[in-house]
Amino acid sequence: MRIRGQNFQFFDYSSFDVICFDEVYMTSTYIKNKIRLFVKNNPDKLTVATGDTKQLQGVESITNCQDPATYADNCLNIIFKHNIMLNICKRVGARDSPDGDRNREIVNAMYDDCWVHQLSISDMVAKYFETTDDIMASEHNIAYTNARCVDVSNEVRKRLGKKANYEMEDELICRLYKEHHGAKFNVNIRYKVVNINSHSITIQNLNTETYHEVNEDILHKHFRYAYCATAHSSQGASVSSTITIHEWEKTYLVSREWWWCAITRCVDFRNVKFFKSDKFENEINENLLKQYLQNKIDGYRQQDKKSQREINEDNYVDVKWCMKRLKGHCEKCGCKFDIDKHKGQIRSNFTAQRADNGLAHTKDNCHAFCVYCNCSAK
């Protein structure tokens, strides 16, 4: 397997009796088939899979003719003989404890309102949560875009009186993969600043407790302050303190899965607040974003006309097609599509990559790729 120049050696699993595939609902059809073949070819192994259809969607669209969750269930029923449905949220406290039982009642009611009764996100927030306009209301902040993460972090640092770009004990999140002096900095991994001198800054990987020396330029380009994180980078985390959720009103970007993933990071729903304020001027307006995508599509059309590719207007990529995929990930490397605003201009790493370079940018010929994968595609 090869991803962005990284080589992965075959893993020797012969000494293991049980093999577990985690977050199986986030895998593509191709990977599900690889799991099917593994199960078939290893009858001596106890093979299990875990997953949740109500979490963030996977990298690739797995079907265009059926409800994705139903289709995924059907695929997994073919692979595995038995299903065990867990109905108790693991994050909300022990059973037979007042806090745990109360939180379970809330999460069950919210689940029904969100997924059965299909209440709007704004109605869900009004019914179950408090809103706040205080940027310092919580120890943890969750946002949809990295642009908001940057704005929130900068405001928090200003409130805390931090003057230097980096100070001791600053916590950072890697936002862009980087190899440096033999070290590999992976996306969404958290680091802490543990030493600063005139030549370099030492950061500690909070997962492996390893130390790395880097310069400030690398931190600026590849890392973000951890005062605010995206829901995608928070998936799997459990937060026992307070959380404020931002950008929840951006319904043109935010899905129910995103909203559900954000609120269920916290073990006590009384500690979840939703930010509601006109504080940030760097907001990404829906119409501005749609115009940015339309300009991109117009550029694709000019490329196709110049290369004399046949254009089928009924099947050509459009703003709706782009907006749907902008909520997801690059279908090649899996990175989250980013949206930013700089000096009034929208910027994004989203592109439509053609599968067959001899054909135009039609919906059935395009995949959602990040700029890196688009430029490196062969």
Side-chain angles (χ1 to χ4, degrees), residues 123-177:
D123 287 341
M124 293 283 292
V125 171
K127 183 173 182 178
Y128 292 102
F129 301 98
E130 295 180 11
T131 59
T132 181
D133 61 358
D134 181 9
I135 201 68
M136 305 295 287
S138 300
E139 298 176 48
H140 299 269
N141 294 278
I142 292 179
Y144 187 90
T145 64
N146 278 310
R148 173 59 77 89
C149 290
V150 171
D151 286 344
V152 171
S153 294
N154 289 340
E155 181 66 20
V156 170
R157 288 180 68 80
K158 183 169 70 174
R159 297 279 190 95
L160 294 175
K162 291 181 177 286
K163 304 294 184 182
N165 290 335
Y166 300 99
E167 299 184 7
M168 293 289 292
E169 301 298 315
D170 275 349
E171 192 169 315
L172 310 171
I173 302 174
C174 181
R175 301 305 310 154
L176 184 64
Y177 177 81

Side-chain angles (χ1 to χ4, degrees), residues 249-263:
E249 294 176 293
K250 291 184 177 179
T251 54
Y252 59 95
L253 286 176
V254 171
S255 65
R256 287 182 182 272
E257 288 81 5
W258 183 92
W259 186 86
W260 188 256
C261 180
I263 65 170

Side-chain angles (χ1 to χ4, degrees), residues 3-19:
I3 299 178
R4 288 194 179 187
Q6 304 176 63
N7 291 312
F8 293 86
Q9 295 181 347
F10 178 80
F11 180 76
D12 183 8
Y13 57 85
S14 59
S15 61
F16 294 88
D17 298 319
V18 180
I19 306 295

Side-chain angles (χ1 to χ4, degrees), residues 36 45-46 77 219 233 368:
R36 180 186 69 83
K45 304 291 183 183
L46 176 58
N77 287 338
L219 292 184
S233 65

Side-chain angles (χ1 to χ4, degrees), residues 135-377:
I135 201 68
M136 305 295 287
S138 300
E139 298 176 48
H140 299 269
N141 294 278
I142 292 179
Y144 187 90
T145 64
N146 278 310
R148 173 59 77 89
C149 290
V150 171
D151 286 344
V152 171
S153 294
N154 289 340
E155 181 66 20
V156 170
R157 288 180 68 80
K158 183 169 70 174
R159 297 279 190 95
L160 294 175
K162 291 181 177 286
K163 304 294 184 182
N165 290 335
Y166 300 99
E167 299 184 7
M168 293 289 292
E169 301 298 315
D170 275 349
E171 192 169 315
L172 310 171
I173 302 174
C174 181
R175 301 305 310 154
L176 184 64
Y177 177 81
K178 175 68 176 176
E179 294 185 17
H180 180 68
H181 293 170
K184 296 179 180 180
F185 300 105
N186 293 305
V187 174
N188 293 335
I189 300 300
R190 294 184 177 236
Y191 296 80
K192 182 172 68 176
V193 175
V194 295
N195 188 49
I196 301 174
N197 58 46
S198 57
H199 303 292
S200 65
I201 298 175
T202 303
I203 57 176
Q204 180 187 16
N205 184 316
L206 296 180
N207 287 351
T208 64
E209 298 187 357
T210 54
Y211 297 86
H212 310 279
E213 284 193 13
V214 296
N215 56 47
E216 191 168 310
D217 184 58
I218 289 177
L219 292 184
H220 177 72
K221 290 182 179 179
H222 295 269
F223 292 80
R224 294 288 183 267
Y225 301 115
Y227 299 106
C228 186
T230 64
H232 293 79
S233 65
S234 303
Q235 183 159 317
S238 294
V239 177
S240 57
S241 54
T242 54
I243 290 178
T244 295
I245 299 173
H246 300 250
E247 299 186 297
W248 54 279
E249 294 176 293
K250 291 184 177 179
T251 54
Y252 59 95
L253 286 176
V254 171
S255 65
R256 287 182 182 272
E257 288 81 5
W258 183 92
W259 186 86
W260 188 256
C261 180
I263 65 170
T264 53
R265 297 312 91 204
C266 200
V267 301
D268 190 336
F269 298 115
R270 290 174 298 184
N271 293 335
V272 178
K273 293 181 173 61
F274 283 79
F275 191 80
K276 189 178 179 69
S277 172
D278 298 327
K279 168 68 183 176
F280 297 106
E281 298 178 356
N282 198 33
E283 286 296 325
I284 298 173
N285 179 271
E286 180 179 4
N287 291 331
L288 191 62
L289 177 59
K290 287 183 175 180
Q291 186 57 56
Y292 164 81
L293 293 173
Q294 186 59 58
N295 292 340
K296 185 182 286 286
I297 293 166
D298 291 343
Y300 292 149
R301 185 174 280 103
Q302 290 300 318
Q303 293 175 24
D304 291 333
K305 287 182 178 179
K306 185 177 180 179
S307 299
Q308 297 183 337
R309 304 184 189 105
E310 182 180 353
I311 295 178
N312 180 352
E313 292 293 348
D314 293 335
N315 192 34
Y316 207 79
V317 294
D318 53 23
V319 171
K320 183 178 180 180
W321 185 92
C322 293
M323 287 285 284
K324 179 179 180 180
R325 284 152 183 80
L326 189 62
K327 297 179 182 181
H329 305 70
C330 171
E331 293 184 26
K332 184 177 181 183
C333 73
C335 76
K336 178 73 181 72
F337 289 125
D338 194 19
I339 312 164
D340 199 358
K341 187 178 178 183
H342 181 68
K343 295 182 179 179
Q345 299 295 317
I346 296 288
R347 301 183 301 187
S348 176
N349 62 342
F350 171 85
T351 69
Q353 168 66 23
R354 287 172 296 133
D356 186 339
N357 288 329
L359 302 178
H361 289 78
T362 53
K363 295 175 184 177
D364 56 5
N365 187 45
C366 284
H367 298 285
F369 273 24
C370 69
V371 171
Y372 180 95
C373 292
N374 189 316
C375 294
S376 60

